[in-house]
């Protein structure tokens, strides 16, 4: 069976959440990873309610239109985050060459990958909400927020 790379999308999302929780733990925190099923946040660590989002590289045409903007993040219609449910947004750049190994022994399926090179950018929800435009996002049906690379690197925590 051939498995296309796009089939691993949900696992990429989980890996983004996992690397943020692992980073918080390495910083002395006690994170609880809920994953994408929890409304508002994926990770709770003391007073931090973190929503982890995996970054997507911009397309060549987007980079021509917005030089210096190498990444984008999915945010349907640029809806604001609820600050009562989310205090921080963690943007995760997974390695470009991140591959997956799937082993199916006839009953147990294991998927392994290496994400040690992942970069994490942590932004307060207020600052992130200020970059969103829900009115135009709804009118134009925007799916992504295109991010300035310099700004992103200023917020890198790992």
């Amino acid at each position: 069976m051939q498995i296309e790379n796009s089939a691993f999308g949900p696992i990429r999302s989980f890996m983004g959440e996992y690397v943020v929780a692992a980073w918080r733990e390495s910083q002395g925190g006690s994170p609880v990873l809920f994953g994408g099923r929890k409304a508002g946040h994926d990770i709770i660590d003391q007073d931090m309610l973190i929503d982890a989002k995996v970054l997507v590289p911009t397309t060549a045409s987007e980079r021509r239109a917005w030089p210096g903007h190498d990444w984008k993040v999915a945010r349907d219609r640029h809806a604001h985050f609820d600050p009562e449910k989310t205090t921080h947004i963690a943007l995760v750049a997974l390695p470009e060459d991140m591959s997956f190994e799937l082993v199916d022994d006839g009953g147990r399926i294991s998927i392994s990958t290496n994400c040690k090179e992942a970069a994490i950018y942590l932004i307060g929800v207020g600052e992130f909400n200020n970059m969103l435009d829900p009115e135009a996002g709804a009118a134009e049906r925007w799916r992504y927020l295109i991010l300035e690379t310099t700004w992103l690197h200023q917020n890198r925590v790992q």
Side-chain angles (χ1 to χ4, degrees):
M1 165 187 348
Q2 178 178 338
I3 301 175
E4 292 294 322
N5 201 28
S6 62
F8 292 105
I11 294 168
R12 287 180 192 285
S13 293
F14 171 75
M15 292 310 299
E17 296 160 356
Y18 175 80
V19 298
V20 172
W23 166 72
R24 287 299 306 149
E25 186 173 56
S26 75
Q27 300 298 304
S30 299
V32 177
L33 173 58
F34 290 95
R37 297 280 185 206
K38 182 108 174 117
H41 53 269
D42 305 312
I43 302 152
I44 295 177
D45 186 13
Q46 299 166 28
D47 62 343
M48 294 179 78
L49 307 172
I50 305 168
D51 194 346
K53 302 283 186 198
V54 175
L55 292 168
V56 178
T58 52
T59 64
S61 64
E62 288 168 334
R63 284 190 300 278
R64 281 191 300 274
W66 294 284
H69 293 69
D70 299 323
W71 295 97
K72 59 187 176 182
V73 63
R75 189 63 184 164
D76 191 37
R77 300 169 199 249
H78 282 216
H80 280 147
F81 287 89
D82 181 347
E84 300 213 0
K85 294 182 179 177
T86 307
T87 60
H88 295 81
I89 308 300
L91 303 173
V92 181
L94 296 171
E96 289 183 41
D97 60 350
M98 186 173 167
S99 61
F100 296 91
E101 181 181 319
L102 185 137
V103 177
D104 181 351
D105 70 5
R108 179 178 171 86
I109 298 172
S110 300
I111 301 171
S112 60
T113 189
N114 182 351
C115 57
K116 288 184 180 180
E117 301 300 318
I120 301 171
Y121 309 92
L122 191 66
I123 298 97
V125 75
E127 180 180 355
F128 199 86
N129 278 346
N130 286 339
M131 298 185 330
L132 297 169
D133 185 348
E135 276 187 41
E140 301 292 327
R141 300 170 115 34
W142 290 338
R143 293 188 55 224
Y144 292 97
L145 173 64
I146 296 178
L147 302 166
E148 183 182 19
T149 305
T150 303
W151 171 84
L152 196 59
H153 286 290
Q154 291 169 351
N155 290 284
R156 186 170 180 167
V157 293
Q158 175 181 302

